[in-house]
């Protein structure tokens, strides 16, 4: 236990909502700890992105304490406490138990009366197991509750297993996480191979933490990751999609990419893309995706929000263009070629990283729109630049011109066109404009108002 005087975590830097949750649990007689990345970041002097809480209160007890609480999750039962602008995640301490005796069947409640009892009212229903593993040891469900020490030992890495106790403001370290924090190491808790078998996504998380914090992977952890990397394919594709977004949108995407390539995880997550990289000569695609992720990092670090489809278009763009050009060379229309390449790519990719259909369609539109930049006559530029997805398509267009050096005249034309359009929109006096800006505004014709027909009156008899 590290007393308050020996660390610099202050409640001033903890979310007010997290403090409300911690104090209400404490006042109700429960243990209440701030846990995970929030404690790690506070100790490193970083601003936490979220605050998680661990307690000895069971999910049902948490729900009784907070009206704004919702229980979620089947694999791990969690409580989400909702506030206006924040969600505080509350988990019950997990156990180290490797095997739990389950009551397989429980009788359904007795009927109110015999006459109203439905037929087969004595039928028993199976109760979902609290702990469920595959034969190899991968955890499918874990809702066995334990002590704080057991919970710490169940976590993934030592630097993520530090607890902040709201009762006395001390930091509790069961796994020597403070030592690894000072040494700048990402180390699994316990045997690395076993930990990665239990949850293969931990390998992806290890890469993310190493890149985000600027830490090194501890030697045994690195060796186990390389040996077990193929197991990442066993994880849920939907879960891996969320992890991929976290990987590449943290502002250190280029570091993440090189570490994924070094460990072999990139080829497991993106088989087609990884295979294509290996067949290219002179390493050009590697340079391309590195530059693309460098651009993404620059935007994130500047405070710009990058949407998932923009990230994926920058990552996959060169691959798609290469495959598309082969189909266009044999007579296929560019749009049809892009559609075919992307549909095959996303279908194969869905077995590893499941990209939502809406995001995939936005990637398709963004890459399709690249052909429209060649049309600079008439009203085409005005119509195109007014489309909702133009800004994203133009960012990719500029990036490609900067990397390849191709069509610099076209790039200069669009830059001038957009500058003049911006000046015109702001009402500034401008000189000669690109031809596309000179267009006549059609005057709307006034419709003649129809007079109502004269009222019919009966003839005087």
């Amino acid at each position: 236990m590290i007393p308050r005087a020996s660390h610099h975590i202050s409640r001033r830097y903890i979310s007010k909502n997290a403090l409300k949750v911690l104090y209400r649990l404490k006042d109700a007689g429960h243990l209440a700890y701030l846990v995970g990345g929030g404690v790690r970041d506070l100790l490193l002097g970083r601003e936490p992105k979220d605050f998680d809480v661990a307690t000895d209160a069971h999910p049902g007890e948490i729900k009784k304490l907070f009206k704004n609480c919702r229980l979620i999750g089947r694999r791990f039962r969690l409580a989400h406490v909702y506030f206006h602008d924040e969600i505080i995640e509350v988990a019950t301490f997990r156990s180290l138990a490797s095997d739990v005796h389950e009551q397989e069947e429980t009788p359904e409640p007795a009927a109110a009366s015999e006459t109203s009892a439905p037929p087969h009212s004595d039928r028993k229903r199976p109760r979902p197991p609290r702990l469920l593993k595959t034969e190899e040891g991968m955890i499918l469900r874990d809702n066995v509750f334990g002590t704080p020490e057991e919970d710490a030992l169940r976590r993934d890495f030592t630097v993520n297993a530090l607890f902040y106790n709201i009762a006395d403001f001390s930091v509790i370290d069961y796994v020597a996480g403070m030592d690894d924090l000072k040494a700048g190491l990402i180390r699994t808790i316990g045997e690395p191979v076993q930990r990665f078998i239990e949850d293969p996504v931990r390998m992806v998380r290890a890469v993310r933490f190493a890149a985000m914090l600027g830490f090194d992977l501890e030697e045994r952890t690195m060796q186990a990751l390389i040996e077990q990397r193929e197991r990442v394919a066993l994880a849920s594709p939907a879960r891996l999609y969320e992890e991929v977004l976290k990987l590449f949108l943290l502002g250190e995407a280029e570091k993440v990419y090189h570490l994924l390539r070094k460990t072999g995880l990139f080829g497991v997550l993106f088989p087609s893309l990884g295979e294509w990289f290996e067949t290219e000569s002179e390493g050009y695609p590697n340079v391309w995706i590195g530059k693309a992720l460098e651009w993404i990092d620059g935007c994130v670090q500047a405070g710009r929000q990058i949407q998932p489809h923009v990230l994926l278009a920058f990552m996959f763009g060169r691959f798609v263009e290469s495959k598309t050009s082969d189909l266009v060379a044999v007579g296929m229309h560019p749009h049809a070629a892009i559609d075919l390449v992307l549909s095959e790519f996303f279908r194969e990719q869905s077995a590893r990283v499941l990209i939502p259909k809406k995001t995939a369609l936005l990637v398709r539109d963004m890459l399709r729109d690249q052909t429209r930049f060649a049309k600079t006559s008439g009203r085409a530029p005005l119509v195109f630049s007014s489309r909702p997805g133009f800004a994203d398509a133009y960012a990719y267009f500029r990036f490609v011109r900067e990397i390849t050096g191709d069509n610099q005249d076209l790039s200069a034309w669009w830059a001038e066109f957009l500058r003049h359009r911006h000046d015109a929109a702001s009402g500034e006096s401008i000189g000669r404009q690109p031809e596309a800006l000179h267009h006549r505004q059609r005057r709307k014709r006034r419709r003649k108002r129809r007079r109502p027909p004269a009222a019919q009156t009966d003839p005087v008899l």
Side-chain angles (χ1 to χ4, degrees):
M1 292 188 61
I2 304 166
R4 174 65 184 89
S6 300
H7 68 79
H8 55 266
I9 293 182
S10 170
R11 284 171 292 171
R12 289 179 297 175
Y13 306 115
I14 300 176
S15 159
K16 292 181 180 179
N17 296 325
L19 290 174
K20 288 178 182 178
V21 173
L22 289 166
Y23 275 116
R24 186 173 297 182
L25 287 167
K26 171 183 170 293
D27 294 342
H30 296 290
L31 293 176
Y33 297 159
L34 189 68
V35 299
V39 179
R40 178 200 66 216
D41 290 343
L42 287 170
L43 288 169
L44 290 173
R46 300 166 60 96
E47 182 180 355
K49 291 186 177 180
D50 47 40
F51 295 90
D52 296 335
V53 173
T55 179
D56 58 354
H58 287 199
E61 295 173 318
I62 300 170
K63 188 172 178 61
K64 289 180 180 179
L65 285 174
F66 300 94
K67 294 181 179 179
N68 53 332
C69 172
R70 181 182 301 170
L71 301 184
I72 67 163
R74 298 174 64 184
R75 184 171 181 265
F76 298 113
R77 195 66 166 163
L78 299 170
H80 277 183
V81 182
Y82 289 79
F83 294 91
H84 176 66
D85 56 350
E86 189 178 16
I87 299 174
I88 304 299
E89 186 173 281
V90 185
T92 306
F93 297 129
R94 292 304 194 274
S95 172
L96 275 174
S98 59
D99 189 19
V100 177
H101 177 71
E102 297 287 347
Q103 182 181 353
E104 294 184 356
E105 296 183 346
T106 56
E108 293 190 358
S113 64
E114 293 183 0
T115 56
S116 60
H120 311 296
S121 60
D122 58 343
R123 181 179 298 172
K124 298 179 179 180
R125 59 184 178 185
R127 177 181 180 179
R130 291 178 295 157
L131 180 65
L132 184 63
K133 293 184 178 182
T134 65
E135 293 182 358
E136 294 182 342
M138 188 171 75
I139 296 176
L140 301 178
R141 182 170 297 170
D142 181 13
N143 290 302
V144 184
F145 305 132
T147 65
E149 183 176 2
E150 287 181 310
D151 187 80
L153 294 172
R154 284 296 310 274
R155 292 179 178 267
D156 49 10
F157 307 107
T158 58
V159 296
N160 292 339
L162 298 166
F163 297 164
Y164 174 76
N165 188 356
I166 197 63
D168 58 9
F169 316 124
S170 63
V171 171
I172 305 173
D173 182 5
Y174 291 104
V175 294
M178 289 293 287
D179 293 338
D180 287 337
L181 207 62
K182 294 174 182 176
L185 287 177
I186 300 297
R187 183 197 308 269
T188 58
I189 299 171
E191 176 58 38
V193 171
Q194 180 185 353
R195 306 303 276 155
F196 291 149
I197 289 176
E198 288 177 350
D199 186 359
V201 175
R202 285 173 177 156
M203 290 183 270
V204 180
R205 288 166 57 83
V207 170
R208 172 157 63 92
F209 293 136
M212 178 179 70
L213 302 174
F215 284 12
D216 295 322
L217 288 168
E218 183 264 338
E219 185 178 351
R220 292 177 65 242
T221 300
M222 180 71 157
Q223 183 180 354
L225 193 156
I226 294 173
E227 292 176 359
Q228 303 295 321
R229 63 179 181 268
E230 294 295 336
R231 288 186 175 277
V232 169
L234 300 176
S236 162
R239 187 181 174 200
L240 283 178
Y241 172 71
E242 298 299 328
E243 290 295 332
V244 163
L245 294 186
K246 293 176 182 178
L247 275 175
F248 292 108
L249 293 178
L250 54 80
E252 299 292 348
E254 189 181 11
K255 289 182 182 179
V256 164
Y257 166 67
H258 290 300
L259 193 50
L260 287 175
R261 293 278 287 170
K262 181 179 179 180
T263 58
L265 280 175
F266 189 86
V268 181
L269 291 171
F270 306 104
S272 298
L273 206 57
E275 183 180 352
W276 180 70
F277 278 157
E278 298 300 332
T279 60
E280 289 294 315
S281 61
E282 300 178 2
Y284 179 71
N286 299 342
V287 175
W288 171 275
I289 195 169
K291 293 291 184 181
L293 294 175
E294 185 180 352
W295 185 90
I296 296 291
D297 287 340
C299 293
V300 173
Q301 292 167 8
R304 291 177 56 190
Q305 185 176 7
I306 300 298
Q307 297 298 325
H309 70 276
V310 176
L311 166 68
L312 298 178
F314 271 74
M315 287 181 62
F316 307 148
R318 192 67 179 179
F319 168 79
V320 174
E321 289 172 2
S322 174
K323 299 294 184 182
T324 299
S325 62
D326 294 339
L327 296 177
V328 172
V330 296
M332 185 175 288
H333 189 277
H335 284 182
I338 289 175
D339 291 351
L340 180 60
V341 170
L342 281 175
S343 64
E344 291 181 353
F345 174 71
F346 286 131
R347 184 175 64 252
E348 295 174 0
Q349 188 60 50
S350 64
R352 299 293 172 86
V353 179
L354 184 59
I355 298 170
K357 183 177 180 180
K358 181 179 179 180
T359 301
L361 291 175
L362 290 172
V363 172
R364 182 203 65 183
D365 293 344
M366 190 171 161
L367 296 178
R368 261 187 174 191
D369 283 345
Q370 299 307 304
T371 60
R372 302 186 66 170
F373 285 101
K375 302 175 182 179
T376 59
S377 60
R379 290 176 53 84
L382 283 167
V383 174
F384 179 34
S385 60
S386 300
R387 286 170 55 91
F390 173 79
D392 295 336
Y394 181 64
Y396 184 78
F397 171 79
R398 286 182 56 195
F399 170 75
V400 173
R401 304 287 87 73
E402 292 174 5
I403 295 298
T404 64
D406 297 338
N407 295 327
Q408 292 299 312
D409 292 341
L410 182 61
S411 181
W413 188 95
W414 274 99
E416 183 72 4
F417 167 79
L418 292 173
R419 185 182 69 81
H420 282 301
R421 186 175 183 190
H422 178 268
D423 291 343
S426 61
E428 297 179 8
S429 177
I430 57 178
R432 185 173 179 272
Q433 302 176 6
E435 179 183 354
L437 278 180
H438 293 285
H439 64 280
R440 294 182 180 180
Q441 294 183 352
R442 295 182 179 179
R443 296 179 61 184
K444 293 183 179 180
R445 294 182 179 180
R446 292 184 178 180
R447 293 184 178 180
K448 293 182 178 180
R449 292 183 62 185
R450 291 185 178 182
R451 295 182 178 180
Q456 297 289 337
T457 56
D458 294 333
V460 180
L461 297 176

